[in-house]
Amino acid sequence: MSNIVAIVGRPNVGKSTLFNRLIQRREAIVDAVSGVTRDRHYGRSDWNGQEFSVIDTGGYVVGSDDIFEQEIDKQVELAIDEADAIIFIVDVETGITGMDEDVAQLLRQTEKPVLLAVNKVDNSKREADAVEFYALGLGEYYTISSINGSGTGELLDALVEVLPEKEKEEEDELPRFAVVGRPNAGKSSFINALIGEDRYIVTDIAGTTRDSIDTRYNRFGFEFNLVDTAGIRRKAKVKEDLEFYSVMRSVRAIEHCDICLLLVDATRGFEGQDQNIFWLAERNRKGIVILVNKWDLVEKDTQTTKEFEKRIRKNMEPFTDVPIIFISVLNKQRIFKAIETAVEVYKNRSKRVPTRKLNEVMLPIIEHTPPPSNKGKYIKVKFCTQLPTPMPQFAFFANLPQYIKEPYRRFVENKLRDHFGFHGVPIDVYFRKK
């Protein structure tokens, strides 16, 4: 499993901006208003060849200072409990605040590596002002400007030096199907129903499953590892913030699986946390099957299934080519259909399209509907091939690839899906210079 790095600190010090800088994309909302980060954000980063997961531990609520202090204590305790290393970010403009001192006091008690990042240091005067942060008792600090990136290289150099070495796990060549989802969606019950025994403790209290466990499973003549990734533990000291653990376990599981079976509680709908996990799987380029569990508890008419599916697909845009199966683990309805579909998605993810066949199909389509001209320059695509990667990735060679925009890339992706059937699998399409 890869290391986890948590970014902690009080509101409005630049956590989300640093997060975006580390993962090199803008996914977190960045705003000058305290409390704007309503959800935690998760991403993958690497530095000097070392990969790790990054968490922006936002999740603050707008309210009094007392509420902020309670939330910050909770966030830091969660980070200490779950992360392998912690970046504590403070603001040189405001100097040391009472909340900074509270966070520092918690961090001084952990044996995990803590890196103190003094943000908004973009001139020599502020460099001198940063000296006061020695008073937090966390040792050396790193001056950075998360907006323009200065100093982040030195911070990352120090970070990868202190990340613990993970023991190499024995390679298992079997495909891994991870059962993911928010607390109490029925993940362990689903696996129990499949294997026909109560291998996992199943209760109505979210947070029973402590760690992910693999079960070797054979169905439809196909053998694979079925992974229960609930991985939520109840601890008084972290005030039972189960959503945090749910997603963190899902992060780890998704990174190391081939197919994600995302269980959704039909009585709650496809909520924000479900969407977070879905996009984690999509960004990691995993095959995805959505299982709407507890369908037996929903009052239905002839349009209920269609409307429910429509709402889910709306929230999945633009990647909507994902199988959605309505199941009842309790009544064992369609649970084997779920596995059969997951096997099909795995085969789709492993599918290879011969280069000759690919060109025979795609080049006439592109010739009939070429990329829009740009400033009087016409783009011609002359050749395409599938790249030798574990997931479907295609390279299209053109004379002016830099002028091809995202809508045309999606058009090509949709045509690949129409003709070669990559149901449930993210596709990468690259345009390169011929």
Side-chain angles (χ1 to χ4, degrees), residues 53-333:
S53 298
V54 186
I55 319 164
D56 167 18
T57 57
Y60 303 123
V61 293
V62 178
S64 69
D65 287 344
D66 288 341
I67 292 174
F68 273 133
E69 287 171 9
Q70 292 168 12
E71 282 295 318
I72 289 169
D73 284 353
K74 177 165 42 171
Q75 299 295 326
V76 175
E77 288 171 348
L78 286 165
I80 290 170
D81 194 60
E82 190 70 9
D84 298 293
I86 300 158
I87 297 174
F88 174 28
I89 185 168
V90 292
D91 183 349
V92 74
E93 287 184 349
T94 58
I96 296 175
T97 68
M99 282 190 276
D100 291 331
E101 291 174 340
D102 290 343
V103 174
Q105 184 177 355
L106 287 168
L107 292 175
R108 285 196 297 269
Q109 297 169 17
T110 181
E111 296 181 0
K112 294 184 178 180
V114 178
L115 283 78
L116 177 61
V118 184
N119 194 24
K120 305 180 186 177
V121 179
D122 47 19
N123 58 51
S124 56
K125 182 184 181 303
R126 289 184 171 184
E127 191 82 40
D129 292 342
V131 173
E132 75 164 294
F133 288 96
Y134 273 123
L136 291 175
L138 293 171
E140 202 64 46
Y141 61 81
Y142 300 86
T143 56
I144 66 169
S145 172
S146 57
I147 286 181
N148 64 35
S150 66
T152 53
E154 290 80 2
L155 176 65
L156 284 166
D157 285 340
L159 175 65
V160 297
E161 283 293 320
V162 300
L163 285 176
E165 286 190 17
K166 293 287 186 180
E167 292 182 10
K168 288 189 176 179
E169 298 179 354
E170 291 184 14
E171 289 292 326
D172 190 337
E173 294 183 358
L174 287 179
R176 288 173 61 83
F177 290 12
V179 182
V180 298
R182 64 183 305 147
N184 213 22
K187 297 179 289 295
S188 295
S189 298
F190 175 68
I191 292 179
N192 287 344
L194 287 172
I195 64 178
E197 58 183 81
D198 289 335
R199 170 155 184 176
Y200 306 109
I201 302 168
V202 180
T203 71
D204 289 331
I205 303 170
T208 303
T209 309
R210 288 182 58 93
D211 298 296
S212 64
I213 309 170
D214 288 16
T215 300
R216 186 163 289 197
Y217 191 78
N218 192 311
R219 195 80 187 180
F220 308 109
F222 187 86
E223 191 171 14
F224 56 92
N225 280 322
L226 193 59
V227 186
D228 179 1
T229 61
I232 302 170
R233 45 192 165 190
R234 303 176 65 219
K235 282 192 174 183
K237 74 170 188 175
V238 295
K239 304 177 180 63
E240 299 184 322
D241 194 331
L242 301 173
E243 299 291 351
F244 178 88
Y245 283 119
S246 175
V247 178
M248 276 319 309
R249 299 296 180 183
S250 295
V251 168
R252 294 184 182 223
I254 286 168
E255 288 171 358
H256 298 276
C257 77
D258 299 291
I259 303 297
C260 294
L261 295 162
L262 171 54
L263 258 74
V264 176
D265 186 336
T267 64
R268 301 179 67 169
F270 194 65
E271 298 182 321
Q273 200 70 293
D274 302 306
Q275 294 172 44
N276 285 344
I277 297 172
F278 173 82
W279 288 114
L280 278 168
E282 191 275 340
R283 283 198 299 271
N284 280 274
R285 319 315 277 166
K286 306 301 183 180
I288 304 170
V289 180
I290 294 178
L291 307 179
V292 182
N293 188 27
K294 307 182 185 179
W295 195 237
D296 54 307
L297 302 180
V298 174
E299 290 187 17
K300 295 177 280 290
D301 58 32
T302 54
Q303 297 298 313
T304 306
T305 303
K306 191 178 294 184
E307 289 298 321
F308 202 102
E309 182 173 333
K310 184 179 177 181
R311 286 197 298 272
I312 292 178
R313 295 199 187 280
K314 178 68 177 174
N315 289 320
M316 287 163 32
E317 291 179 344
F319 178 40
T320 59
D321 187 22
V322 175
I324 300 173
I325 301 172
F326 294 84
I327 68 171
S328 168
V329 170
L330 185 64
N331 298 329
K332 296 191 176 182
Q333 289 179 337

Side-chain angles (χ1 to χ4, degrees), residues 316-380:
M316 287 163 32
E317 291 179 344
F319 178 40
T320 59
D321 187 22
V322 175
I324 300 173
I325 301 172
F326 294 84
I327 68 171
S328 168
V329 170
L330 185 64
N331 298 329
K332 296 191 176 182
Q333 289 179 337
R334 290 180 287 278
I335 60 172
F336 296 114
K337 174 67 176 175
I339 293 299
E340 185 179 16
T341 303
V343 171
E344 291 171 1
V345 170
Y346 176 81
K347 291 176 179 177
N348 289 342
R349 189 170 184 263
S350 311
K351 185 181 296 182
R352 303 290 309 171
V353 180
T355 301
R356 181 176 175 181
K357 177 73 171 174
L358 187 64
N359 282 270
E360 285 177 354
V361 171
M362 294 304 298
L363 291 187
I365 292 172
I366 291 172
E367 188 175 348
H368 183 265
T369 310
S373 61
N374 189 295
K375 299 177 183 176
K377 296 179 179 179
Y378 292 91
I379 304 162
K380 292 191 176 182

Side-chain angles (χ1 to χ4, degrees), residues 373-431:
S373 61
N374 189 295
K375 299 177 183 176
K377 296 179 179 179
Y378 292 91
I379 304 162
K380 292 191 176 182
V381 178
K382 300 182 178 180
F383 179 73
C384 54
T385 186
Q386 184 173 359
L387 300 176
T389 52
M391 69 285 294
Q393 296 184 322
F394 297 87
F396 289 76
F397 295 90
N399 60 336
L400 298 167
Q402 66 271 28
Y403 293 127
I404 297 176
K405 307 298 183 186
E406 186 60 30
Y408 194 78
R409 195 184 308 271
R410 285 202 297 269
F411 165 77
V412 172
E413 177 187 331
N414 290 335
K415 292 301 178 185
L416 285 167
R417 292 185 182 282
D418 291 344
H419 290 275
F420 301 109
F422 289 99
H423 191 39
V425 184
I427 296 175
D428 290 320
V429 176
Y430 302 102
F431 288 92

